[in-house]
Amino acid sequence: MAQGRSFRSSGWGRTASRRRVFRLAGGGLALVALTAGTVGCDEGAVDVEEPGGAGGEQSKGNDKGSADGGGTGEDGKAPAPLWTKTTSAETYGDNDELVVAGGAVIASGSPLAALDTASGEKKWSLPGGTVPGAPLLLGKDTLYLASSEYDGTVTGYDPASGRETWRSRLGEGYRQPQPVAVDEKQVYVIAEVLEDDGSSRTNVIAALDGTTGRITWKEQRDPGTVQNGIHAAVRGRHLVYTDFKKNLTVRDTATGGQVWTRKTTRTNYGFFAVHEDLVIVPQGKDLQAFDLSDGEEKWSLEASGSALFKEPSVVEGVLYIADSARTVRAVDPRTGKPLWQSEALADAGLQVPRQYVKAGGTLYGATDLDEEGGVIAMDAKTGEVRWTFNDGSGDHHAWLVATDGERVFALHGTELHALPV
């Protein structure tokens, strides 16, 4: 399809994505035991693309859009993509599977390919690719990945060049370490604890020094917790994370000690938002904010009628969240007070976003399972719909969006589109 088009959903209510369930279950694969911890490495098996090389697995050039993007959607129609490429993407519907850094846009897959943001041409690739279900974790100008060799390694790469800049191993007796969060000092990983018979019934969370790779601390998590479906964030001395068992936990980043934990009623597969000293969690028809230091509830917001809240996101100091009644809200994350509320999606029969990015005065939302979902451009001050984009492929994968401020990147299945802002 040459350019985006407006669409109407044939029904919003659906069960969870089969692919997303696979993503959450990805942590349960039987992998080899980890080896002893080591640090530092400046070599990596990187296929660096020379200028003018192919973009992605198959280059489609500008088959789906003119070189100038065909306008900016001011007429209510979605702009044509600046470029569209077929990639090696293997996504499971999580928001950390498409990232932009160092002039490169990177989608989770095997091989892992980084495309130039301006042209879509391939800059570099890693033959081993990414571990299914593991995030693309960005921090300290570094892309952190779990090893696709399943050798217990966590590796850091320069996103601009693909060169390896950091490496660590958790050690023997553990397997499948996956990086889940990063701050200026440490990289945080979750790993299974191996039993004598090779099985695993418990897991640990650990902090690795961001410079040396050495283990700063390592704590075994409570029985009943799982290493699947982990979503994590760091704010100062607090590491906060959820898992597939509906645990919401905060730890001290300096010691690894558990500050507090609680069971949640519903966490939308673990998605939450963090702003300053608050963690904001959707739980069915309630949106609750808890103090990171002690777990005290600071504010709550209730959806109208029988509507249920979807995934929240804090973008440039504003909390954006939709509900199952197709209402989108902009909320002050400090107080929980709505800044605006829009029924524009419901009026137009559109699906609700589950992920948000902002460029200029426009808020871009990506929907879940396609069924003619896509990317929705909304006025960031009112929530009014400016245009919608869909590639017409009918692919069942969730849409993902990312931005470098100059372009919005929309990933759908293996198709990656660069849209003008």
Side-chain angles (χ1 to χ4, degrees), residues 22-23 25-27 29 90 92 97 108 130-135 150 176 178:
F22 289 162
R23 189 255 187 267
L29 301 174
E90 298 172 352
Y92 298 87
E97 297 174 322
S108 181
T130 55
V131 173
Y150 300 109
Q176 199 179 347
Q178 294 192 8

Side-chain angles (χ1 to χ4, degrees), residues 53 59 61 83 173 206 243 282 285 294-295 309 333 338 347 356 372 387 391 408:
S59 174
W83 52 260
D243 65 18
K285 67 185 287 77
D294 57 15
F309 280 115
D347 293 342
Y356 305 86
E372 295 210 74
W387 50 260
D391 58 12
V408 169

Side-chain angles (χ1 to χ4, degrees), residues 212-228:
T212 67
R214 296 188 177 91
I215 298 171
T216 304
W217 52 257
K218 180 174 56 183
E219 295 288 332
Q220 184 161 323
R221 297 177 67 211
D222 295 339
T225 61
V226 294
Q227 70 279 2
N228 302 337

Side-chain angles (χ1 to χ4, degrees), residues 17-28 90-97 131-136 178-180 227-231 269 271:
S17 164
R18 179 169 63 99
R19 298 281 286 181
R20 184 181 297 178
V21 172
F22 289 162
R23 189 255 187 267
L24 295 174
E90 298 172 352
T91 61
Y92 298 87
D94 239 341
N95 296 347
D96 50 20
E97 297 174 322
V131 173
L136 299 177
Q178 294 192 8
V180 295
Q227 70 279 2
N228 302 337
I230 298 290
H231 295 277
Y269 298 98
F271 287 95

Side-chain angles (χ1 to χ4, degrees), residues 108 117 119 144 146 231 246 260 278 309 323 358 405:
S108 181
T117 54
S119 67
Y144 296 95
H231 295 277
K246 301 178 182 177
W260 59 268
L278 298 177
F309 280 115
D323 64 31
K358 184 182 175 186

Side-chain angles (χ1 to χ4, degrees), residues 68-75 77-80 364 387 420-421:
D68 63 0
T72 58
E74 293 179 357
D75 56 357
K77 296 181 180 179
Y364 300 88
W387 50 260
V421 300

Side-chain angles (χ1 to χ4, degrees), residues 75-307:
D75 56 357
K77 296 181 180 179
L82 297 164
W83 52 260
T84 291
K85 301 291 181 179
T86 298
T87 72
S88 57
E90 298 172 352
T91 61
Y92 298 87
D94 239 341
N95 296 347
D96 50 20
E97 297 174 322
L98 179 69
V99 298
V100 181
V105 54
I106 308 167
S108 181
S110 181
L112 183 67
L115 306 186
D116 184 271
T117 54
S119 67
E121 301 301 326
K122 187 170 70 175
K123 297 185 69 172
W124 55 264
S125 68
L126 297 175
T130 55
V131 173
L136 299 177
L137 182 63
L138 279 174
K140 297 176 62 177
D141 298 320
T142 302
L143 174 67
Y144 296 95
L145 301 175
S147 172
S148 60
E149 299 295 326
Y150 300 109
D151 59 359
T153 302
V154 178
T155 311
Y157 299 90
D158 174 11
S161 67
R163 299 296 181 186
E164 182 178 316
T165 58
W166 181 90
R167 175 174 291 213
S168 179
R169 285 195 175 114
L170 193 57
E172 294 183 357
Y174 305 94
R175 68 180 175 194
Q176 199 179 347
Q178 294 192 8
V180 295
V182 59
D183 59 22
E184 288 301 310
K185 295 182 178 180
Q186 298 173 148
V187 180
Y188 304 90
V189 300
I190 295 278
E192 297 175 336
V193 178
L194 281 172
E195 305 292 339
D196 291 340
D197 61 1
S199 65
S200 178
R201 290 179 285 276
T202 55
N203 61 96
V204 297
I205 187 164
L208 308 175
D209 187 282
T211 300
T212 67
R214 296 188 177 91
I215 298 171
T216 304
W217 52 257
K218 180 174 56 183
E219 295 288 332
Q220 184 161 323
R221 297 177 67 211
D222 295 339
T225 61
V226 294
Q227 70 279 2
N228 302 337
I230 298 290
H231 295 277
V234 186
R235 286 296 183 275
R237 285 286 296 268
H238 299 109
L239 169 67
V240 56
Y241 56 92
T242 58
D243 65 18
F244 203 23
K245 289 287 188 178
K246 301 178 182 177
N247 295 296
L248 174 64
T249 303
V250 175
R251 289 185 180 272
D252 187 303
T253 58
T255 67
Q258 185 169 286
V259 179
W260 59 268
T261 187
R262 68 164 64 219
K263 285 287 185 179
T264 58
T265 55
R266 296 185 60 168
T267 58
N268 291 300
Y269 298 98
F271 287 95
F272 62 88
V274 171
H275 179 71
E276 295 179 351
D277 58 351
L278 298 177
V279 53
I280 304 164
V281 186
Q283 300 194 75
K285 67 185 287 77
D286 295 314
L287 183 65
Q288 294 176 284
F290 303 103
D291 192 296
L292 283 171
S293 64
D294 57 15
E296 178 185 355
E297 182 179 309
K298 290 299 185 180
W299 58 258
S300 65
L301 183 65
E302 185 175 345
S304 303
S306 59

